Amino acid sequence: MSRRGWLAAGSACLLLATATQAAAQAVPPPPGSTARPQDTEQWTPVPAIVTPGATDAAPPTDAIVLFDGRNLDQWVNSRDKAPAAWTVADGLLTVAKGAGNIETRRSFRNYQLHLEWRIPANVTGSGQGRGNSGVFLASTGPADAGYELQILDSYNNATYVNGQAGSLYKQHPPLVNAARKPGAWQAYDVIWTAPVFSGDGAVTSPARVTVLHNGVLIQNNAVLGGETLYIGKPVYRPYISAPIKLQAHGDPSPPISFRNIWVRELAAP
């Protein structure tokens, strides 16, 4: 068939599909039915108006800005709740490994999180010793207690797959490896649904996580088996709300940096 024939056939198929869809929408109710289009229209409650940022990475009007390049007022040391002592310079937040992990002053339950991170261009090391950090989506205690989304240089850097960038550490590998080269900025966009516990501490609904890495879906409503453990199987410990924590990993590679961190609190699903 000629190119013109292919185009004509394609146009005919498109017109047929459109006509079929329109006909399906116009099917009248069965004889004797009193159903009306208005019966399935919902007018209230009217969704709140949220003005998006100038770009998809910019915070919308209902976001809580956790780091905008100026200070660490929203953060504390996760060990003793003293003021966070990481380095803020040139609009960036850089890990101070000797200062320990930091976490938000506020606690959160269900939320949408955006954060950007950069592995230094001069990164050294290999495996888990190369640009290692993490964001704990719920910090349930000091040190590394909580639920970790791994940060690592995973551009041409082999390691166990449930420990590479984008993994829910030791539980779920990412669906794909969307890592950029060291020196380039990377972004996580996260939807966190907190676990729900009954009065006796039993899990009635597990934690769930959806993650986009650099705009690519890498965790699709992943169900967690409990908190992150370096050794052993994950377990749940009851909690209601928790801070978000950033990890100062002890590997010897140069420290990573963060920018543009914001969160939107969400209602329970």
Side-chain angles (χ1 to χ4, degrees):
M1 183 183 292
S2 68
R3 177 177 175 81
R4 180 174 297 176
W6 278 111
L7 291 174
S11 298
C13 290
L14 179 60
L15 288 172
L16 178 61
T18 303
T20 302
Q21 182 180 20
Q25 292 175 346
V27 172
S33 172
T34 59
R36 306 172 306 159
Q38 296 90 331
D39 295 338
T40 50
E41 295 173 358
Q42 180 181 340
W43 287 74
T44 60
V46 177
I49 295 174
V50 173
T51 304
T55 67
D56 290 345
T61 51
D62 65 344
I64 299 169
V65 176
L66 299 175
F67 180 71
D68 62 1
R70 292 182 291 181
N71 56 58
L72 281 172
D73 290 352
Q74 296 289 332
W75 300 83
V76 295
N77 186 287
S78 64
R79 180 182 61 254
D80 56 12
K81 311 310 182 212
W86 288 12
T87 302
V88 176
D90 300 323
L92 308 182
L93 170 61
T94 301
V95 177
K97 297 195 177 190
N101 298 343
I102 64 173
E103 66 185 27
T104 57
R105 291 184 181 275
R106 305 188 196 195
S107 291
F108 302 95
R109 185 148 181 78
N110 304 305
Y111 60 78
Q112 172 189 349
L113 173 69
H114 175 88
L115 80 161
E116 298 170 22
W117 50 278
R118 183 177 65 184
I119 302 292
N122 64 337
V123 68
T124 57
S126 62
Q128 293 291 302
R130 186 177 174 89
N132 199 323
S133 182
V135 52
F136 286 77
L137 304 174
S139 173
T140 56
D144 291 342
Y147 303 79
E148 183 184 7
L149 170 60
Q150 175 75 316
I151 293 174
L152 189 76
D153 177 24
S154 287
Y155 187 86
N156 292 334
N157 178 37
T159 188
Y160 46 93
V161 295
N162 59 351
Q164 73 179 71
S167 66
L168 298 166
Y169 189 74
K170 288 291 184 83
Q171 296 192 52
H172 293 290
L175 298 174
V176 294
N177 182 347
R180 292 182 173 133
K181 293 180 179 181
W185 281 100
Q186 317 211 37
Y188 279 161
D189 288 284
V190 181
I191 305 299
W192 168 253
T193 302
V196 179
F197 302 91
S198 63
D200 62 1
V203 179
T204 60
S205 180
R208 297 174 180 271
V209 191
T210 295
V211 183
L212 283 82
H213 182 193
N214 298 327
V216 178
L217 183 67
I218 61 167
Q219 299 288 350
N220 188 10
N221 199 32
V223 177
L224 291 175
E227 297 187 22
T228 299
L229 289 179
Y230 180 51
I231 299 174
K233 299 293 186 180
V235 294
Y236 276 107
R237 293 183 297 158
Y239 82 96
I240 297 176
S241 62
I244 297 167
K245 179 165 57 186
L246 298 178
Q247 184 185 48
H249 194 271
D251 72 279
S253 65
I256 77 167
S257 297
F258 295 88
R259 70 180 185 187
N260 194 23
I261 308 174
W262 51 264
V263 62
R264 295 180 63 242
E265 296 181 287
L266 303 176

